[in-house]
Amino acid sequence: MIRIDERSPTPIYEQIVQRFKELIAKGALSEGERIPSVREMSATLLVNHNTVAKSYQELERQGIIVSQRGKGAFVAKAAEEPGMERERLSRLRGELRRIAVEAHHLGVGSDQLKAWLEEEIREYGRERDAGGTPT
Amino acid sequence: MLAVRRLSKRIDGKAVLTDVGFDLEEGRVAGLVGRNGAGKTTLLKLMSGILDPDDGEVLFEGRSVHREPEAKRELVCIPDTPEAWYGYTGWGAAYMFGQVYPRFDAAYFKHTMSRFGLPIDRNIRHFSKGMRMMFSTALGLSTRAKLVLLDEPTNGIDPIAKKQVLTLLMEAAADGMSLIISSHLLEELERMTDTILLMRAGTIETHASEDVADGVVTKLQVVFQGEAPEAWLRSSDVRVLDHIGRVYTLLLNSAPGSAAAAELEAMKPLLMEPLPVRLEDLYVWKLGGEPYAQ
């Protein structure tokens, strides 16, 4: 379900956060579904339980999962409206800029780039903004 | 929980450990790494009270494991082969350990043996290497001791047995057991542990597994302007991991007092890109030798 890339410069706890967000965006994990316990995840990935716990805390802080004492952690309801977390939104915009710059230098034209982006959106994206219009 | 103080041991007149000291808090998972012959097995045997030190002491929750044998009931050492159990069956071994360890969990032992498809009533001598290691690990964890010391638990076993042994260890750690794992599996150790105990020439250094080389060494990919500075590359603050064409992968001493980073900067390289430093890099930096093939 979750795979760790040993060679990636991204810290393992961030990789776990990222993989869970992907699985949820893709619909492989849906709202209210229980996610594996820290113990199960640690034993499956062979990653220290404190690292897994740190990932789960981050996912909870971002409102991606909710934990219920004694019952485990569950996939939370998707964001009610965009713009709740300005820092994450501006980081998202920054990443898009980086991709556009990279595509420029690789000689990838805008039609191709849009087609690729649409492909990813079909896989992971959502129909429309949560709540009202984006900020 | 565990305090190792000024531990020294000579074997056949040769100093194996010199003034070794470190602390381990409860619930920690520590990886014990070092070259073959660095003294890892001797240290594990001293900590578990199998060997007596020439000097220094091992305190478990404040009690010396060498002067108060009672303290040894809370720690168990899993050797790299279960030779002591040849001639016993799983049940026989469980009975013996049940006599020694007050919280021995026979149900867990039975469950784990069957989970891994290990016959509980067969002589351990007739087990394959992988089965022996799974048996030893299951038996050691069944003691419910607070601290488990493991001597190369994955040495020479197949990838499936290895995964099963490591899975058991991670479950035990999540349940609150403290572990010290001696191993050469640096990638696995880096992920699984929170503490790295690095043995060098009979002494020990402690590092945090996360950011393992923080403040010790940095790793960079560098392309120099013009000729590579051969003399600088051979200096003691620099180690060349590899170079492909003009691209050098370097380890630089980043401890306070090292001028290596400033010297490199002054050469104005065409490219200077930091790379993540792994346990393997720290190992190569500290213990020398050639980097492992990728």
Side-chain angles (χ1 to χ4, degrees):
Chain A
M1 176 164 92
I2 301 268
R3 288 230 323 269
I4 299 294
D5 178 2
E6 293 287 350
R7 293 279 144 205
S8 165
T10 310
I12 286 172
Y13 100 91
E14 273 182 45
Q15 289 191 36
I16 297 173
V17 168
Q18 191 57 35
R19 293 291 104 77
F20 266 109
K21 286 163 91 168
E22 281 171 18
L23 285 171
I24 293 166
K26 216 173 174 172
L29 281 170
S30 42
E31 187 188 321
E33 206 171 320
R34 186 182 162 275
I35 65 167
S37 68
V38 168
R39 184 182 191 270
E40 286 166 329
M41 211 62 216
S42 164
T44 309
L45 299 178
L46 303 180
V47 165
N48 190 276
H49 60 99
N50 291 316
T51 309
V52 178
K54 191 171 159 189
S55 309
Y56 281 22
Q57 278 156 20
E58 181 59 22
L59 285 165
E60 192 163 7
R61 197 189 68 79
Q62 293 187 14
I64 313 287
I65 62 170
V66 280
S67 62
Q68 289 178 25
R69 194 170 281 274
K71 286 187 182 165
F74 300 85
V75 178
K77 235 160 105 173
E80 291 290 325
E81 53 178 303
M84 289 298 284
E85 291 212 45
R86 289 180 183 282
E87 182 204 336
R88 276 169 66 205
L89 269 181
S90 80
R91 209 179 321 140
L92 175 65
R93 288 298 302 269
E95 276 176 46
L96 285 175
R97 183 177 314 125
R98 193 187 60 74
I99 289 166
V101 170
E102 191 66 14
H104 175 98
H105 288 289
L106 285 167
V108 175
S110 58
D111 287 345
Q112 177 65 73
L113 187 60
K114 279 181 201 156
W116 283 340
L117 184 59
E118 272 162 20
E119 207 176 292
E120 295 302 327
I121 291 171
R122 274 198 297 278
E123 184 102 351
Y124 297 104
R126 56 192 294 160
E127 281 287 307
R128 61 191 75 219
D129 286 343
T133 47
T135 48
Chain B
M1 179 180 68
L2 181 76
V4 174
R5 295 281 173 262
R6 304 185 62 88
L7 209 57
S8 295
K9 180 73 181 173
R10 299 179 75 84
I11 294 176
D12 294 335
K14 185 177 161 285
V16 180
L17 299 180
T18 315
D19 221 5
V20 165
F22 67 92
D23 287 278
L24 194 75
E25 288 167 43
E26 190 161 357
R28 293 280 171 174
V29 182
L32 179 62
V33 303
R35 304 292 302 268
N36 293 322
K40 300 188 296 293
T41 300
T42 304
L43 177 62
L44 292 176
K45 285 183 173 169
L46 282 166
M47 286 192 290
S48 53
I50 298 169
L51 287 177
D52 285 326
D54 296 334
D55 210 349
E57 58 184 355
V58 178
L59 301 174
F60 185 81
E61 294 181 331
R63 298 200 292 174
S64 162
V65 301
H66 296 100
R67 285 195 305 272
E68 297 178 61
E70 281 286 301
K72 284 196 274 189
R73 294 192 170 189
E74 287 302 343
L75 70 157
V76 60
C77 185
I78 302 178
D80 57 355
T81 52
E83 277 161 18
W85 297 115
Y86 292 178
Y88 287 84
T89 64
W91 274 132
Y95 175 78
M96 296 289 284
F97 259 26
Q99 304 293 305
V100 178
Y101 294 96
R103 287 191 303 282
F104 188 85
D105 189 340
Y108 170 87
F109 179 70
K110 188 179 167 212
H111 173 78
T112 308
M113 291 290 278
S114 77
R115 175 176 165 191
F116 294 146
L118 299 175
I120 208 159
D121 49 9
R122 193 151 115 213
N123 188 333
I124 305 304
R125 189 195 302 276
H126 302 311
F127 278 12
S128 70
K129 198 164 184 178
M131 290 162 80
R132 284 175 188 171
M133 215 55 235
M134 284 193 276
F135 152 77
S136 298
T137 309
L139 184 70
L141 298 178
S142 301
T143 62
R144 299 290 184 212
K146 289 182 184 163
L147 173 64
V148 180
L149 312 172
L150 297 112
D151 194 3
E152 301 207 29
T154 57
N155 194 17
I157 66 177
D158 71 60
I160 294 166
K162 179 183 106 180
K163 167 98 203 209
Q164 287 173 328
V165 165
L166 297 182
T167 296
L168 272 191
L169 296 182
M170 286 295 88
E171 286 174 359
D175 293 340
M177 212 173 232
S178 310
L179 307 172
I180 298 180
I181 308 164
S182 141
S183 174
H184 296 296
L185 296 174
L186 301 181
E187 280 188 6
E188 279 87 345
L189 279 189
E190 189 172 6
R191 285 185 322 200
M192 289 170 42
T193 62
D194 44 51
T195 307
I196 293 294
L197 303 168
L198 188 130
M199 285 204 85
R200 176 165 67 157
T203 61
I204 223 161
E205 286 178 14
T206 310
H207 296 268
S209 303
E210 199 180 3
D211 245 342
V212 75
D214 194 30
V216 177
V217 62
T218 50
K219 189 176 182 180
L220 294 165
Q221 206 155 61
V222 175
V223 176
F224 294 101
Q225 290 191 33
E227 290 288 298
E230 293 298 338
W232 182 79
L233 289 172
R234 279 196 302 273
S235 68
S236 64
D237 283 343
V238 182
R239 183 183 288 271
V240 180
L241 289 178
D242 61 44
H243 76 278
I244 298 164
R246 298 181 61 199
V247 184
Y248 284 75
T249 308
L250 304 177
L251 294 179
L252 289 192
N253 184 354
S254 60
S258 161
E263 287 162 3
L264 178 62
E265 203 115 19
M267 287 184 252
K268 297 196 175 9
L270 297 173
L271 172 101
M272 192 165 71
E273 206 176 67
L275 297 173
V277 188
R278 316 314 298 248
L279 176 56
E280 183 186 309
D281 301 314
L282 179 74
Y283 191 96
V284 168
W285 177 258
K286 290 283 182 182
L287 306 178
E290 294 296 297
Y292 294 135
Q294 296 283 314

